[in-house]
Each structure stands twice: as structure tokens, then as C-alpha cells.
Amino acid sequence: MNVPNPNTTPAAESLNSDFFYGWDLLFKTVESRIGKKADVLMVLAHFLLTKHCNFRCVGIGDDKSLPVDEAGSELLPDQWNGDSSKYSLRYVHNKVLYLLLAHITEDALIVNLLDVNTKNVSNLCVTPDSLVADLRGSIAKTMPTAGAIVERFRRELCDPVFAANAREITVPQRTSQTPAQTTNLLADEPRRPPAYMPHNFEPNPYNLPDVGRSDLDPLAGGIGNLFPFPRNPVPPRPNIPGQGAPNPDHAQPPDWNPDHYM
């Protein structure tokens, strides 16, 4: 959420009619209840949230339950500064509840803005005595550096909560479950899962033959048998033309006639 940045020059930051338009009307509705300088800063924070951030105030307290069908108001509720040491204001924006909480210390005002849904919270520490010059009058009289104060409110109070909301991107989460594998009995060949290979590992860096590789590497997927069988497993027959030289052990005896055995 982008909050308009008022002019930062001392002469213009308190007289910017566009940015601070509506301040006088708001301040007059609570001026009779202003009792300390911290009150003025809380009214400024309320003005920033309601006019420039489209927040609507739905009351006081720190209840984290979202009110049902309550439109809210641009005005501060009764008893908004009823506690002398702390503030608790509730706001609604886009059906999200926000809490504006503040605590008064010895010389500082610590302000927090909390997104009830995401638990994103911002922190701002300001010194009322150095920022608020008067409890009555125009904004130029009450807060001479109103533009610089608003810039701090925007940067330290609003942006951390709204920017965190904008960064929330849904990332598909990986699950440990895998889809069930089905077996096709009519498939021509069973599918094998790919074998794991280390990064930059060359399975056959020297382009050697794959003979015998499967006997040593079960993931090689090559030809098995370290000493492969020949293509024709039938041994050559002796004394047959084209089947090799005769073997003396297999030579026919002299005057051998196969008809003698018929």
C-alpha cells in the first residue's frame, strides 16, 4: 500500500492542502479531549490510516475478533485516550483487522501496528516533546514538521506491515507422495527407471566396447559375458569343405567305407 509522500520542505510540509486536507475537521472533533502531546501524534496516526490507507476505526481495545457487519468510522471513538499511559485502537481494512497500539514511556511514545491475520507488526518510537509544539491550533502550529512525521509514520509504521502482506506468494509445496504407478501388461517392453549418474560423469569416456561390461557394472545396460559366444554356436565339422582344416583325431581310417555299416 503506497502512502502519498508529502513535501519535505519546512515551509510546505505543514501547509500541503492536498495531503492534510480534512485534518482541521478531524482535529476539531477531538480538540477538547487533547490533554498531552502524545495525543496529538495519535490523532495524526489515525488521520494517516483513515484518509490515506482507507482504514475504518471500529472502536478501542485489543480484541482480535473481527466485528461482523461493522463499517467503521473515520472519526476517533469515545474514550480513545481514556488511558493515561497507553492507546488501543482497532481498525478494519479489506475485511482484515488491525490494531494500533501505543505506550507512553518517560520521554517517548512507542507505537505498534499489528495485522491480526498475519501477525505482522511494525514498531515506531517518537518523542512527543520534540515533535509537538502546541496542543491547540492549526497543524502548522501544533506540528511544524508534520510532513516529516508523516513520512516516518509511513516508512516505519505502515510499510513494514503492508509490504509484508504484498510479499506473501503461494509456493507449491512439494509432497512426499508420488502418484501410483500402473503396470501395462500389454506394453511391448517394461519401462526401466533411468539409472543414476553422478554429475558430469561420462559413462564411456574412452569409447571402449561394451563387451563384458554388464558382468562388472549392473547399471551399464550393455552386452553381457566377458567372453561372448560366437554368432554360430555349431563347431566346424572336419573334412567338410569350407569348415576349416582337418583334425587328425577326426580323420577317416584308411579304406573306410560307410556302406560296411549299412
Side-chain angles (χ1 to χ4, degrees):
M1 181 178 299
N2 295 325
V3 179
N5 186 8
N7 296 331
T8 56
T9 58
E13 61 187 4
S14 60
L15 300 177
N16 190 326
S17 59
D18 293 333
F19 187 87
F20 291 106
Y21 179 79
W23 166 262
D24 293 336
L25 180 61
L26 173 65
F27 194 72
K28 285 188 178 298
T29 62
V30 297
E31 189 172 9
S32 60
R33 295 190 57 88
I34 299 294
K36 49 187 177 295
K37 293 183 176 181
D39 292 345
V40 179
L41 293 176
M42 291 302 297
V43 177
L44 181 62
H46 173 86
F47 174 78
L48 177 64
L49 293 177
T50 54
K51 180 180 179 181
H52 296 289
C53 300
N54 296 322
F55 278 39
R56 293 299 178 262
C57 187
V58 292
I60 61 175
D62 55 2
D63 184 10
K64 295 181 176 59
S65 60
L66 183 65
V68 179
D69 298 332
E70 185 173 352
S73 174
E74 296 183 10
L75 301 178
L76 281 165
D78 296 337
Q79 302 298 321
W80 62 272
N81 60 347
D83 195 310
S84 60
S85 60
K86 65 180 181 180
Y87 305 87
S88 301
L89 296 172
R90 303 168 73 243
Y91 295 87
V92 171
H93 175 67
N94 289 339
K95 298 183 179 180
V96 177
L97 182 65
Y98 293 84
L99 299 181
L100 181 64
L101 309 174
H103 298 269
I104 300 175
T105 63
E106 293 182 358
D107 57 352
L109 176 67
I110 302 174
V111 188
N112 306 109
L113 182 62
L114 169 66
D115 183 336
V116 173
N117 284 1
T118 63
K119 303 299 186 295
N120 294 325
V121 62
S122 59
N123 300 278
L124 170 68
C125 181
V126 292
T127 54
D129 290 339
S130 63
L131 299 178
V132 179
D134 202 329
L135 301 182
R136 302 290 186 270
S138 65
I139 193 170
K141 182 180 179 182
T142 56
M143 291 176 290
T145 58
I149 300 173
V150 167
E151 171 61 20
R152 285 199 59 192
F153 277 27
R154 180 196 63 80
R155 185 178 65 252
E156 301 179 35
L157 192 66
C158 299
D159 283 357
V161 175
F162 301 145
N165 291 340
R167 286 195 302 267
E168 291 180 353
I169 302 176
T170 302
V171 177
Q173 299 292 330
R174 293 184 178 180
T175 59
S176 59
Q177 298 179 355
T178 56
Q181 297 181 354
T182 58
T183 303
N184 186 1
L185 299 178
L186 300 179
D188 294 336
E189 295 182 0
R191 296 180 180 180
R192 292 184 179 181
Y196 169 76
M197 287 295 179
H199 184 63
N200 294 333
F201 176 76
E202 179 65 30
N204 191 1
Y206 300 105
N207 197 22
L208 297 177
D210 286 336
V211 174
R213 184 165 180 172
S214 295
D215 298 323
L216 303 178
D217 183 3
L219 301 179
I223 303 175
N225 297 319
L226 186 60
F227 301 98
F229 294 110
R231 293 185 178 181
N232 187 2
V234 181
R237 299 175 61 185
N239 303 323
I240 301 298
Q243 294 292 327
N247 191 333
D249 295 334
H250 298 164
Q252 298 179 2
D255 302 328
W256 180 80
N257 189 350
D259 295 336
H260 295 169
Y261 298 92
M262 297 298 293

